[in-house]
Amino acid sequence: MSEFIDGRMLIGGELVESRTSNWLESVNPANEEVIGRVPAAGPEDVNAAVEAAAGAFDAWAGLSMTERATALRGYAQRLKEEGKRILDIEVRDTGNTIAKLRHDVASAVRGIEYFAGLGTELKGETIPASADALHYSVRQPYGVVGRIVPFNHPILFAAKFGAPLMAGNCVVIKPSEQSPLSAGVLAEIVRETLPPGVVNIVTGDGAGAGDPLVRHPLVKRISFIGSVPTGLAIQRAAAEVAVKHVSLELGGKNPMIVFPDADPDQVAASAVAGMNFAWMGQSCGSMSRILLPDSLYDAVLERVVAKAEAIVQGDPASEESGAGPMNSRAQYEKALGYIQAGIEDGARLVAGGTRPEGPEFERGYWIRPTVFADVTRDMRIFREEIFGPVMSLIRYRDVDEAMELANDVEYGLTASIWTNDLKQAMRAARDVRAGYVWVNGVSRHFLGTGFGGFKNSGTGREECFDEMLSYTETKTVHVHV
């Protein structure tokens, strides 16, 4: 049996329990066994973390860019060294397959190193506004930044705080209560490598930790990754306290727009890969709506079903597993509810939708990768984000209808366009209302290119220079000479 994980929070450079004396237990979603616990923070803990960040701010902001970069690179190196330990914990805590999770620590390290090299680019401007004065601007940090991160990539989202730190801010991070155990390792690494108070980590649920962090008057800059309803709640709560800069990377109901000249084999393979079944569809960028012309519909459907049914589902720690369980009971029940809604609304269930067979699947949050055919725009599975392993195939008649269907949801995070016609591809990329678009590709992120959404999929961009700029305020200075 694996070791029980007894996590701690990080506040002011110290590993601590909660002032509430309460704990959150975490279960392995593959078998529902309790595998660890973390402190359940309350408002007093959050306040202590914010005060620690505020206390560390002047010294951290007073460092040179070279000094900040050196500290961050040292932190990134320790994170990399602890990669195997983190991987073992996250496989058990999330249900995500080891083959996919292996890349998360490496991606976090790359992101930290990227921003460590950009510090000297935080430049202001000189403006020739008058003949008798020097007019210039400088960029300065906000102070204390709150970051609330989701369950699907726990260490990746919690650990990549290079942008706010290089800009001179100090940070309070709240990991997801659904997969919090790797945050304890992150707390140890931060304690070893960064000055006390520069990064603080508080674990707990939304009411006990998330809401107090959003509402704290010293936290003027907030970053959140998660669902649209929670993003809306964060905007409301923040606005009730002070004027705050809130960036949101929210959900998606992402279209894969396939044109008649596309190859059905490539389309099917990319649709299944882009649906992120290896994460059980628990990825905001998943290609959950496949828009197909009549000429390709049957051919792609046949291939998609075959590929979905061929996915090997099993122990997430096995290199052979192509999919694990859902992350939590709540996500599992939500996905089952949408599968039932698809059936009730008249869609045709052509793959999955049930628990896999076998004694190893009797406990845990297991669902077979699921595909619906003949989905129409009036159905809930067309319009609403499921965040589960449910793909919908939709017919269209012509290009105008395809683009109308693609844009006919409240979301606008990602989109994929498949065609060999360059003019068609460029027009579709222009017209689709999404913030991140692939042409003849899916899923891959490219560091330095801004990731974020249109419409209700969010505000702001991450993984790029604009992210670091977003953690600064502009000050204009006029010097009369």
Side-chain angles (χ1 to χ4, degrees):
M1 186 179 226
S2 298
E3 180 183 357
F4 185 85
I5 301 162
D6 201 13
R8 294 294 184 271
M9 301 189 297
L10 180 68
I11 298 178
E14 298 298 326
L15 300 175
V16 298
E17 298 180 9
S18 164
R19 287 163 170 77
T20 68
S21 298
N22 294 327
W23 297 85
L24 290 175
E25 289 186 335
S26 192
V27 303
N28 183 337
N31 56 26
E32 301 178 65
E33 292 179 356
V34 176
I35 56 174
R37 67 175 188 170
V38 295
E44 290 185 3
D45 300 295
V46 172
N47 184 65
V50 173
E51 293 286 353
F57 169 67
D58 285 341
W60 179 255
L63 295 179
S64 70
M65 288 298 180
T66 299
E67 289 169 323
R68 288 182 213 162
T70 298
L72 275 172
R73 290 189 179 107
Y75 155 71
Q77 178 60 33
R78 283 293 295 128
L79 183 67
K80 184 177 181 180
E81 291 168 358
E82 293 286 1
K84 177 62 166 61
R85 180 182 172 200
I86 293 168
L87 178 64
D88 291 344
I89 291 172
E90 291 213 333
V91 167
R92 297 169 59 208
D93 198 27
T94 67
N96 296 331
T97 57
I98 191 169
K100 293 295 184 181
L101 272 176
R102 183 173 285 112
H103 303 290
D104 276 16
V105 168
S107 295
V109 169
R110 283 195 299 271
I112 295 158
E113 292 173 342
Y114 168 76
F115 285 113
L118 283 178
T120 55
E121 294 303 308
L122 282 174
K123 302 170 182 175
E125 299 176 315
T126 58
I127 305 99
S130 71
D132 61 350
L134 171 65
H135 309 273
Y136 68 93
S137 65
V138 295
R139 290 189 173 274
Q140 295 186 332
Y142 279 99
V144 181
V145 168
R147 287 171 67 88
I148 302 174
V149 299
F151 67 81
N152 55 337
H153 296 274
I155 197 68
L156 173 61
F157 290 131
K160 60 172 190 175
F161 43 69
L165 259 64
M166 279 306 296
N169 300 279
C170 294
V171 178
V172 178
I173 300 167
K174 193 204 88 69
S176 170
E177 62 269 32
Q178 292 175 252
S179 299
L181 297 182
S182 63
V185 181
L186 182 63
E188 295 174 14
I189 296 169
V190 169
R191 185 172 184 259
E192 292 175 14
T193 56
L194 294 173
V198 171
V199 174
N200 305 270
I201 301 171
V202 290
T203 52
D205 62 19
D211 189 65
L213 180 59
V214 169
R215 292 177 181 273
H216 200 289
L218 292 181
V219 180
K220 189 177 179 182
R221 174 71 171 91
I222 299 164
S223 168
F224 171 71
I225 304 174
S227 70
V228 171
T230 304
L232 292 172
I234 285 173
Q235 285 185 316
R236 288 192 297 269
E240 290 175 358
V241 177
V243 176
K244 302 194 179 198
H245 179 171
V246 180
S247 63
L248 305 169
E249 200 266 89
L250 305 178
K253 194 68 180 175
N254 308 298
M256 183 172 175
I257 309 164
V258 181
F259 289 101
D261 66 325
D263 177 79
D265 289 318
Q266 288 186 332
V267 167
S270 295
V272 172
M275 185 58 227
N276 295 313
F277 283 123
W279 304 95
M280 279 284 91
Q282 296 164 125
S283 176
C284 56
S286 296
M287 293 291 109
S288 55
R289 294 185 300 143
I290 314 301
L291 307 180
L292 296 162
D294 288 331
S295 60
L296 291 181
Y297 189 89
D298 291 337
V300 172
L301 172 60
E302 178 184 4
R303 289 163 172 78
V304 164
V305 169
K307 289 183 177 297
E309 291 182 337
I311 293 172
V312 176
Q313 199 164 11
D315 181 1
S318 169
E319 298 285 354
E320 306 304 316
S321 292
M326 300 288 291
N327 178 268
S328 66
R329 179 170 294 280
Q331 291 299 121
Y332 170 74
E333 292 178 349
K334 179 182 177 183
L336 288 179
Y338 274 106
I339 291 169
Q340 184 59 37
I343 295 169
E344 291 174 357
D345 290 346
R348 180 160 55 99
L349 180 63
V350 292
T354 60
R355 182 179 286 267
E357 296 180 358
E360 67 270 36
F361 303 116
E362 290 177 358
R363 291 183 60 80
Y365 313 126
W366 298 92
I367 303 175
R368 287 290 299 154
T370 301
V371 180
F372 278 99
D374 304 335
V375 175
T376 58
R377 71 170 72 198
D378 58 323
M379 297 178 182
R380 285 166 282 181
I381 61 172
F382 176 95
R383 310 200 68 81
E384 299 174 18
E385 185 186 36
I386 300 171
F387 218 65
V390 183
M391 176 193 290
S392 296
L393 272 61
I394 302 112
R395 292 179 186 267
Y396 71 82
R397 293 184 301 272
D398 53 36
V399 172
D400 289 343
E401 185 183 27
M403 300 310 300
E404 182 183 352
L405 289 167
N407 292 330
D408 191 24
V409 292
E410 66 173 300
Y411 305 96
L413 187 57
T414 69
S416 176
I417 296 161
W418 283 80
T419 179
N420 294 309
D421 183 333
L422 179 60
K423 184 179 290 187
Q424 183 71 77
M426 297 300 288
R427 286 175 176 170
R430 178 196 64 194
D431 294 340
V432 69
R433 296 291 295 162
Y436 207 78
V437 180
W438 298 277
V439 175
N440 297 332
V442 291
S443 294
R444 187 177 175 189
H445 289 217
F446 299 88
L447 193 59
T449 65
F451 186 85
F454 286 10
K455 300 192 283 187
N456 273 359
S457 286
T459 60
R461 294 296 179 267
E462 299 191 343
E463 304 174 7
C464 63
F465 184 51
D466 280 352
E467 179 183 356
M468 189 159 69
L469 294 179
S470 78
Y471 287 100
T472 64
E473 298 183 279
T474 299
K475 176 184 288 184
T476 302
V477 182
H478 308 279
V479 182
H480 291 276
V481 294

